[in-house]
Amino acid sequence: MQFDIFTLFPEMFDGPFDASIIRRAREAGQVTIALHNIRDYATDRHHMTDDTPYGGGGGMVMKPEPIWNAVESVLGFDPAGRADVPPIILLTPQGRLFTQTVARELAAHERLLLICGRYEGVDERVRQYLATDEISIGDYVLSGGEIPAMVIVDAVVRLLPGVLGDPGATVNDSHASGLLEYPHYTRPAVYRGHPVPQVLLSGHHAEVDRWRRREALRRTRLRRPDLLARARLSQADREFLAQLDAEGDE
Ligand code: 9WO
């Protein structure tokens, strides 16, 4: 998969993409990540990438030309109005919420273009006529779209075939099945007087799997009932949840 990231701060991406899973995927040729500095495509004398807003008011708005020029140069054609273009995703607080389902959707593409906004946002014509999608990672005020772009790259790369050592890993992820993760433990068996649940030391894999599923259900029920409402549940899951309800588990 190829990522093209359009940003005023390419240096922000040095650390996150040079480590761990993403680094290995890049070294294995499974992923390429090209960073494009929007300022390089500002053709005026001062390389202006932002300007004051029409209609007045404070702050600055990202100009459409440098962004559009950058995307057109990288693609080799003007994507406006073309059907055969890869997703051109504008990272914006007003976008659709990024979820694991959206990550799976994006992982199916060969190429993704990510546009990172700054200042008060980007000129509306970029959103309306250049971008093909708008994605938010949540309702909080950030400095720009760069960190959301990193979040998307991380979540999508993990889903690409062959990137994770254990192909079943993402399938087994409780979250991938719609639930919160079960509790994780490692050595020592007792730490500062706090023991590891005995079932995890028993070697009974079926018992361990049942315990993990039940703890994922218990935790999701308590902390994220919204996820539980959408999760794929078995009859055994429903019976366990009914038992928790009867016990008033909080
Ligand atoms: C404004 C805003 C308004 C209501 C709710 C949440 C909000 N977040 C922001 C905000 O982060 N403002 C921006 C900072 C202004 C444009 C540049 N910034 C930005 C954030 N560009 N892209 C994002 C972003 C935030 C969340 N997910 C994806 C992109």
Side-chain angles (χ1 to χ4, degrees):
M1 171 177 275
Q2 180 177 342
F3 294 90
D4 287 283
I5 302 177
F6 299 83
T7 172
L8 288 171
F9 300 98
E11 66 275 12
M12 283 185 67
F13 294 86
D14 290 343
F17 295 165
D18 294 338
S20 187
I21 289 171
I22 295 180
R23 177 180 180 165
R24 288 201 298 272
R26 294 175 70 188
E27 288 171 347
Q30 294 162 303
V31 170
T32 60
I33 302 175
L35 296 167
H36 308 286
N37 191 333
I38 294 168
R39 190 170 302 282
D40 295 344
Y41 297 88
T43 51
D44 65 291
R45 190 153 48 101
H46 299 295
H47 294 283
M48 294 268 290
T49 60
D50 60 293
D51 205 339
T52 53
Y54 277 120
M60 300 294 275
V61 176
M62 286 185 81
K63 293 171 62 62
E65 305 101 309
I67 299 172
W68 205 300
N69 292 344
V71 170
E72 186 173 30
S73 168
V74 167
L75 285 177
F77 58 86
D78 181 354
R82 294 265 299 249
D84 58 335
V85 299
I88 302 173
I89 300 168
L90 175 63
L91 285 315
T92 171
Q94 296 134 25
R96 63 182 175 131
L97 187 62
F98 185 62
T99 63
Q100 191 67 12
T101 300
V102 175
R104 280 192 286 268
E105 171 201 315
L106 297 182
H109 292 280
E110 288 294 314
R111 186 177 192 183
L112 297 176
L113 282 70
L114 304 176
I115 299 174
C116 304
R118 277 275 157 170
Y119 305 110
E120 294 311 304
V122 299
D123 183 280
E124 182 66 3
R125 287 156 296 183
V126 168
R127 187 196 68 75
Q128 206 166 354
Y129 303 113
L130 181 65
T132 60
D133 197 352
E134 299 170 59
I135 293 180
S136 168
I137 62 165
D139 289 339
Y140 25 74
V141 179
L142 298 176
S143 306
E146 284 78 11
I147 291 175
M150 294 172 203
V151 167
I152 289 175
V153 170
D154 189 277
V156 169
V157 167
R158 291 174 57 85
L159 293 172
L160 299 179
V163 166
L164 285 183
D166 168 12
T170 52
V171 173
N172 294 337
D173 277 355
S174 298
H175 201 128
S177 69
L179 298 178
L180 297 183
E181 282 282 284
Y182 49 76
H184 295 277
Y185 292 89
T186 186
R187 280 186 282 268
V190 179
Y191 181 66
R192 293 179 183 249
H194 304 302
V196 171
Q198 191 53 42
V199 63
L200 299 180
L201 309 176
S202 67
H204 292 302
H205 296 301
E207 285 295 313
V208 170
D209 288 346
R210 189 172 79 125
W211 180 89
R212 285 175 169 172
R213 180 68 181 183
R214 285 184 164 197
E215 289 309 308
L217 287 165
R218 184 198 307 275
R219 187 165 285 191
T220 309
R221 173 182 173 274
L222 201 56
R223 299 181 186 193
R224 291 294 304 273
D226 59 306
L227 284 181
L228 192 63
R230 299 198 301 267
R232 296 182 299 281
L233 301 176
S234 68
Q235 184 53 34
D237 292 342
R238 297 183 193 285
E239 287 167 4
F240 176 65
L241 289 166
Q243 181 188 323
L244 293 181
D245 289 343
E247 292 166 0
D249 183 77
E250 291 300 331

